[in-house]
């Protein structure tokens, strides 16, 4: 299949690599020349614009940072809408607002172009292995058409519901993971203050009700989980800035729905503060570094 792939950053590159390995012809485009060159090195051919990548492709995939980038890449000048032929299927794998997925889908639909949202979980290592979890929103026949291509990049492809539903599932997941990272960091800072060995505490919690995937796989305390970002100076992984963005998407969605949310906005602000203090491009588990105790001289 000839696939137009737009957005070849940290995640897009290994995903392109897996599509090429599975024998697909990939035509890539990225606004940053170095990112496009990296995709070309992996075996893709380079396009001059999103429209150019979409033109002549059987299918279009986008992997972009946020809602505004997705709107620009599909509906802006030299965007996908200008290049994709009627009847084509587009798969947006970025994490964005569900309402934006629906708006883009509707704009494409008026021109006969189909759209599914298919955000991912797993980060760069699982993108490299081709074992991402992929949550898909769209019409059932479109999702089934996308499934073999998605299977080249992920091992768990789940159809959640209508367009936008994949994004809803992703926001709910990241709300939990983002809050857990802050909670685990706070707990381990308290334990540390009391002189409790973090390794022993990890053993206790892993067999208790506080156990979380974040502690097991992305432990914020360095040296306890070999493959965690904390054990390589918090090199991402999934950046603090991206997690703050995802918590913001969850908070905005809750506000639109009038659902009260208290813990998610608090975690979002902690991550934003960590970002303001230089940790934005570090893995989000670096929030542990940010949550240092204040000076021993400060009154309690
Ligand atoms: P990234 O910033 O590394 O890559 C995005 C790329 O899109 C960049 O190379 C950028 O130049 C390009 N781009 C932006 N606007 C463009 C446009 N209009 N046309 C063409 N190219 C454009 O981000 P990433 O880490 O690859 O993440 C991509 C998406 O995947 C985000 O929504 C993120 O939340 C989600 N995600 C990331 C991870 C992770 O671990 N990095 C995990 C799960 C989900």
């Amino acid at each position: 299949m000839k696939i137009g792939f737009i957005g070849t950053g940290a995640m897009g590159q290994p995903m392109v690599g897996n599509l090429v390995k599975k024998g697909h012809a990939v035509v890539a485009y990225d606004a940053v020349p170095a990112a496009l060159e990296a995709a070309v090195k992996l075996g893709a051919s380079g396009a001059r614009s999103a429209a150019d990548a979409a033109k002549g492709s059987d299918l279009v995939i986008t992997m972009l940072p946020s809602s505004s980038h997705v709107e620009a890449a599909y509906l802006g000048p030299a965007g996908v809408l200008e290049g994709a032929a009627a009847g084509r299927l587009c798969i947006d794998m970025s994490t964005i607002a569900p309402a934006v997925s629906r708006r883009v889908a509707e704009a494409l639909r008026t021109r006969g172009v189909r759209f599914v949202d298919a955000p991912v979980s797993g980060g760069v290592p699982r993108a490299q292995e081709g074992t991402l979890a992929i949550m898909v929103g769209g019409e059932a026949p479109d999702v089934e058409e996308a499934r073999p291509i998605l299977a080249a990049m992920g091992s768990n492809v789940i159809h959640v519901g209508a367009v936008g539903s994949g994004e809803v599932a992703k926001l709910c997941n990241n709300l939990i993971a983002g809050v857990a990272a802050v909670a685990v960091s706070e707990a381990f800072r308290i334990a540390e203050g009391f002189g409790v060995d973090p390794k022993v505490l990890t053993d206790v919690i892993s067999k208790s009700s506080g156990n979380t995937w974040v502690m097991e796989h992305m432990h914020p305390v360095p040296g306890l989980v070999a493959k965690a970002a904390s054990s390589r100076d918090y090199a991402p992984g999934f950046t603090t800035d991206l997690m703050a963005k995802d918590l913001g998407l969850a908070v905005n969605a809750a506000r639109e729905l009038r659902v009260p949310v208290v813990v998610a906005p608090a975690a979002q602000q902690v991550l934003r503060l960590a970002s303001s203090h230089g940790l934005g491009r570090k893995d989000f588990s670096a929030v542990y570094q940010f949550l240092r105790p204040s000076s021993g001289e400060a009154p309690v």
Side-chain angles (χ1 to χ4, degrees):
M1 212 180 226
K2 192 169 173 191
I3 299 172
F5 198 111
I6 298 151
T8 53
M11 293 291 283
Q13 283 167 32
M15 291 160 76
V16 164
N18 282 321
L19 290 169
V20 169
K21 268 187 221 149
K22 293 273 155 63
H24 298 292
V26 178
V27 185
Y29 174 67
D30 194 289
V32 171
L36 180 53
E37 275 162 33
V40 169
K41 278 204 186 105
L42 291 164
S45 56
R48 288 182 311 274
S49 66
D52 192 25
K55 202 176 290 170
S57 290
D58 304 309
L59 183 95
V60 174
I61 297 178
T62 45
M63 191 52 166
L64 299 162
S66 66
S67 298
S68 60
H69 302 95
V70 171
E71 280 197 299
Y74 278 94
L75 311 179
V80 172
L81 192 54
E82 285 182 17
R88 291 290 180 268
L89 178 63
C90 300
I91 308 176
D92 178 39
M93 303 187 74
S94 329
T95 303
I96 64 165
V100 173
S101 301
R102 291 189 180 147
R103 202 155 57 232
V104 171
E106 185 51 30
L108 294 178
R109 199 185 60 77
T110 60
R111 303 278 281 274
V113 178
R114 296 170 295 138
F115 178 93
V116 299
D117 55 300
V120 307
S121 183
V124 173
R126 283 174 62 193
Q128 284 163 342
E129 290 165 12
T131 59
L132 291 166
I134 307 179
M135 36 221 112
V136 196
E139 300 284 332
D142 297 342
V143 175
E144 290 320 307
E145 191 177 320
R147 197 179 283 279
I149 298 298
L150 296 175
M153 298 175 280
S155 51
N156 278 304
V157 180
I158 300 171
H159 183 193
V160 183
V163 169
S165 308
E167 298 293 354
V168 173
K170 172 70 184 169
L171 300 188
C172 292
N173 179 74
N174 277 23
L175 184 158
I176 295 169
V179 165
V182 176
V184 171
S185 298
E186 289 178 352
F188 276 78
R189 282 297 187 191
I190 292 170
E192 200 176 275
F194 278 107
V196 169
D197 182 342
K199 190 176 180 326
V200 176
L201 183 65
T202 303
D203 287 345
V204 171
I205 293 177
S206 68
K207 295 172 187 68
S208 305
S209 53
N211 194 24
T212 78
W213 198 90
V214 164
M215 190 192 74
E216 274 186 78
H217 299 272
M218 307 170 140
H219 206 309
V221 180
L224 298 176
V225 173
K227 65 179 183 346
S230 57
S231 296
R232 36 167 219 279
D233 196 26
Y234 299 95
F238 187 61
T239 64
T240 302
D241 282 341
L242 283 177
M243 185 53 101
K245 173 203 69 156
D246 288 1
L247 283 166
L249 291 171
V251 171
N252 291 344
R255 192 167 54 213
E256 279 165 30
L257 297 165
R258 297 183 178 79
V259 172
V261 276
V262 178
V263 177
Q268 186 206 8
Q269 293 309 313
V270 174
L271 290 163
R272 278 266 181 261
L273 279 168
S275 178
S276 317
H277 287 74
L279 298 172
R281 303 297 296 166
K282 293 272 189 187
D283 190 78
F284 74 106
S285 56
V287 69
Y288 168 79
Q289 281 194 320
F290 178 63
L291 292 171
R292 275 190 295 270
S294 61
S295 141
E297 262 107 76
V300 177

